Amino acid sequence: MHILVIEDEKRLAYLLRRVLQEERHTVDLAHDGQSGLDLALSDTYDVVILDLMLPGIDGLEICRQMRAEHVTTPVLMLTARGAIEDRVTGLNVGADDYLTKPFAMAELLARINALLRRRDRRFDDNLQLAVGDLTLDLVRHEARRAGRVIELTAKEFALLEYLMRHPGQVLSRTQIINAVWRYDIDALSNVVDIYIHYLREKIDQGFDYPLIKTVRGVGYKIEARESGK
């Protein structure tokens, strides 16, 4: 899994990274609120481990802004405070779980696994995505538009799935690279544009209206045609 750790205590942050990497997770670190928020809003992570007390923007505000931007990544909040009101506030702004410092690494891993299972069950409830007359069956690994089966490569399917999980949301090239290629390629590469072109040839050409839209200077989005258009 791809996990973001936002923790200003560097010794703890490095320890968390080492423990999580030993569990074969990919880990990114941020040591202050602003850089942590920027990464969290990229919406490319499976879990965010978020310290409550951070320089700049605190953990509560990061979580609040994530949910305001419709980023649904599970958040495990770390706090040195034991007061119930602090925990309640964190949960109310959108955190999924909390852990009070100091904590055992075994408990941290157990809570992360529980969050991932909860997320996977939520995804399992929606095994078919739809945008307009385009559907994506995640079990059969099959795309259809207006009932017509569309043959996709594995990477085209992954890119289309990412777009369809964020309908109407403009996704930057960097966000797409991080989510679909997971840093396997240079962020300056034009591979995103190439694969968007491939998808357009398959899911837009020959149909009444295009689903994939370019937002010049920003990125791409997928959305159904507005009513009356």
Side-chain angles (χ1 to χ4, degrees), residues 9 11 13 17 70 120-121 130 158 179 186 190 202 228:
E9 188 181 336
R11 285 186 61 188
R17 181 172 64 183
H70 308 292
D120 290 343
R121 283 197 299 270
D186 188 336
N190 66 343
K202 293 184 176 183

Side-chain angles (χ1 to χ4, degrees), residues 15-26:
L15 176 59
L16 288 171
R17 181 172 64 183
R18 179 173 61 79
V19 169
L20 293 168
Q21 286 177 337
E22 288 174 354
E23 296 294 316
R24 299 189 178 182
H25 297 302
T26 300

Side-chain angles (χ1 to χ4, degrees), residues 152-160 163 176 180-181 185 189-202 212 220:
L152 299 174
T153 67
K155 195 59 72 177
E156 289 167 351
F157 190 95
L159 174 56
L160 184 58
L163 292 171
I176 294 170
V180 178
W181 280 269
I185 59 173
S189 169
N190 66 343
V191 69
V192 172
D193 306 302
I194 292 171
Y195 272 83
I196 288 289
H197 175 73
Y198 292 159
L199 279 183
R200 279 177 163 155
E201 286 189 327
K202 293 184 176 183
I212 298 176
Y220 300 99

Side-chain angles (χ1 to χ4, degrees), residues 28-46:
D28 292 340
L29 297 182
H31 300 300
D32 63 83
Q34 186 59 61
S35 60
L37 177 62
D38 291 342
L39 288 171
L41 291 181
S42 71
D43 198 14
T44 63
Y45 296 97
D46 298 296

Side-chain angles (χ1 to χ4, degrees), residues 53-191:
M53 301 297 293
L54 293 165
I57 304 172
D58 67 18
L60 292 176
E61 183 58 26
I62 290 174
C63 193
R64 187 180 291 113
Q65 290 196 37
M66 287 174 63
R67 300 317 186 212
E69 294 295 325
H70 308 292
V71 176
T72 59
T73 307
V75 172
L76 174 59
M77 191 165 283
L78 306 180
T79 175
R81 302 173 178 176
I84 292 178
E85 55 266 28
D86 292 323
R87 305 175 191 174
V88 171
T89 300
L91 294 171
N92 283 340
V93 299
D96 297 273
D97 200 358
Y98 66 86
L99 199 54
T100 303
K101 298 177 182 179
F103 51 82
M105 288 297 166
E107 183 178 5
L108 174 85
L109 294 173
R111 288 179 181 268
I112 289 172
N113 288 334
L115 289 176
L116 292 173
R117 287 195 301 272
R118 193 183 310 165
R119 182 210 60 173
D120 290 343
R121 283 197 299 270
R122 187 171 68 245
F123 284 170
D124 287 344
D125 291 337
N126 188 18
L127 294 176
Q128 182 167 289
L129 306 176
V131 175
D133 59 353
L134 174 67
T135 59
L136 195 68
D137 190 315
L138 303 182
V139 175
R140 295 177 179 170
H141 217 261
E142 180 181 83
R144 289 177 178 263
R145 182 158 187 197
R148 185 193 307 173
V149 175
I150 300 169
E151 298 293 334
L152 299 174
T153 67
K155 195 59 72 177
E156 289 167 351
F157 190 95
L159 174 56
L160 184 58
E161 179 183 350
Y162 183 60
L163 292 171
M164 292 180 70
R165 286 196 182 277
H166 303 83
Q169 181 180 334
V170 181
L171 302 168
S172 70
R173 290 170 178 81
T174 300
Q175 285 177 292
I176 294 170
I177 286 173
N178 291 347
V180 178
W181 280 269
R182 293 292 173 93
Y183 303 109
D184 289 339
I185 59 173
D186 188 336
L188 298 178
S189 169
N190 66 343
V191 69

